[in-house]
Amino acid sequence: MNIEQIEKLVEIVEKSSLTEFSYKDDEVKITMSKLDHAPVIAGGVPMTPPPFGAPAPVSAPAAENEEAEDEAVFITSPIVGTFYAAPAPDAAPFVKMGDHVKNGQTVCILEAMKLMNEIQSEFDCEIEAVLVSNEQKVEYGQPLFRVRKL
């Protein structure tokens, strides 16, 4: 299956009433699902998916004033995939509640189409809550961690 065929498949699924679609053959497996609504990040701002092929944001935008910095901030999923809290089944999790995380530090792995994607924090923060469980399927824009910026 080439990229043009995949793009056409995405268009067809987007225009249909399907909420989930899977395709598998000997060489490729594709799973697509639609969100019921646009995900919302801190401050009630709706987040829309980026155009096909564009990088997705990993976290909420920076707060514009000191009051907004005290509000909940989330590290969100940039892709649809499977959440892994640790680098291996028998290893300690990357982060847990109460941990202080540095800018660029890996907080989890998301598996998508058999590729392991390390998700990193874009700012210094403290993990207030882990919002998903290990091996849970996650959607684009779904909050993974509630954090407090440092």
Side-chain angles (χ1 to χ4, degrees):
M1 182 171 265
N2 63 37
I3 192 71
E4 289 83 20
Q5 292 171 318
I6 294 171
E7 288 174 338
K8 184 67 176 166
L9 188 57
V10 169
E11 287 178 30
I12 291 169
V13 173
E14 282 180 343
K15 292 177 183 175
S16 75
S17 62
L18 294 172
T19 57
E20 205 167 288
F21 174 82
S22 292
Y23 170 81
K24 182 179 179 182
D25 66 17
D26 293 337
E27 298 175 11
V28 74
K29 178 181 177 185
I30 298 173
T31 302
M32 293 182 259
S33 60
K34 294 182 186 177
L35 295 174
D36 293 340
H37 59 283
V40 176
I41 57 176
V45 179
M47 195 165 85
T48 56
F52 183 75
V58 175
S59 61
E64 293 183 10
N65 60 42
E66 287 183 31
E67 278 184 29
E69 287 184 19
D70 292 335
E71 293 180 13
V73 177
F74 299 95
I75 297 175
T76 60
S77 175
I79 57 177
V80 173
T82 303
F83 174 88
Y84 293 103
D90 57 343
F94 289 106
V95 296
K96 59 187 180 305
M97 194 168 82
D99 283 356
H100 288 247
V101 175
K102 298 282 186 199
N103 182 10
Q105 182 178 336
T106 300
V107 294
C108 67
I109 293 176
L110 293 178
E111 178 186 7
M113 296 183 70
K114 298 186 181 181
L115 293 175
M116 299 299 184
N117 302 281
E118 288 188 359
I119 307 305
Q120 300 172 342
S121 176
E122 292 187 341
F123 43 80
D124 293 350
C125 61
E126 178 183 351
I127 304 294
E128 291 185 331
V130 180
L131 304 173
V132 292
S133 59
N134 198 45
E135 298 184 15
Q136 179 178 332
K137 305 288 186 217
V138 296
E139 298 290 332
Y140 168 82
Q142 179 177 341
L144 305 174
F145 302 94
R146 186 179 71 232
V147 300
R148 182 179 57 83
K149 285 188 176 182
L150 298 176

